[in-house]
Amino acid sequence: MKRDKIIFYVATGLLTLLMFFSAGMYFFNHAEVAKMFTAFGYPTYIIYPYAVAKLLGLVALWFFRGKFINEWAYAGFFFAFILAFFAHFMIGDGEQTGAVIAMVLLIVSYIYSKKI
């Protein structure tokens, strides 16, 4: 049981750091992120709402464990990471590693959230 908790908290903590870094980039380095979103073919007006959604998803992961909204947060992150992976893969910029790492952390966090 203690091992499961440690794995959950480490995976979720690393995922949280990754999402804070990502949201911070969206807020504080908007010009660079806007260029990236334009290269993907995405509209740039979704950058700030997407950053807020990431932060709200983290709140749901940490404070609503075992509840309905927590499941939706995991699902939202799952689809976000899948779409991020394929967006980077399709334009061929070689930056899909972050999405793969985030997906692994998300899956580990989800599995171990069910065990504790």
Side-chain angles (χ1 to χ4, degrees):
M1 185 69 159
K2 184 176 180 176
R3 178 185 68 97
D4 293 347
K5 280 187 178 183
I6 290 170
I7 292 171
F8 168 76
Y9 284 121
V10 167
T12 309
L14 290 173
L15 180 65
T16 300
L17 289 175
L18 190 63
M19 290 298 98
F20 273 144
F21 175 74
S22 175
M25 288 284 293
Y26 288 10
F27 285 124
F28 301 117
N29 198 1
H30 187 270
E32 195 66 33
V33 174
K35 284 196 302 190
M36 183 178 61
F37 269 56
T38 303
F40 293 148
Y42 297 153
T44 57
Y45 63 81
I46 66 168
I47 294 172
Y48 290 129
Y50 191 39
V52 170
K54 285 183 176 188
L55 295 175
L56 290 174
L58 290 175
V59 169
L61 289 186
W62 284 104
F63 298 111
F64 293 96
R65 277 195 310 160
K67 298 202 168 90
F68 180 73
I69 193 152
N70 181 269
E71 296 291 328
W72 277 100
Y74 276 113
F77 280 130
F78 177 81
F79 288 114
F81 299 152
I82 290 290
L83 292 173
F85 173 81
F86 282 108
H88 286 288
F89 180 76
M90 295 306 286
I91 66 167
D93 66 355
E95 297 291 326
Q96 61 267 24
T97 308
V100 171
I101 292 169
M103 182 61 77
V104 169
L105 291 172
L106 182 75
I107 291 169
V108 171
S109 173
Y110 182 77
I111 289 170
Y112 282 92
S113 75
K114 299 296 183 191
K115 291 184 177 189
I116 60 172

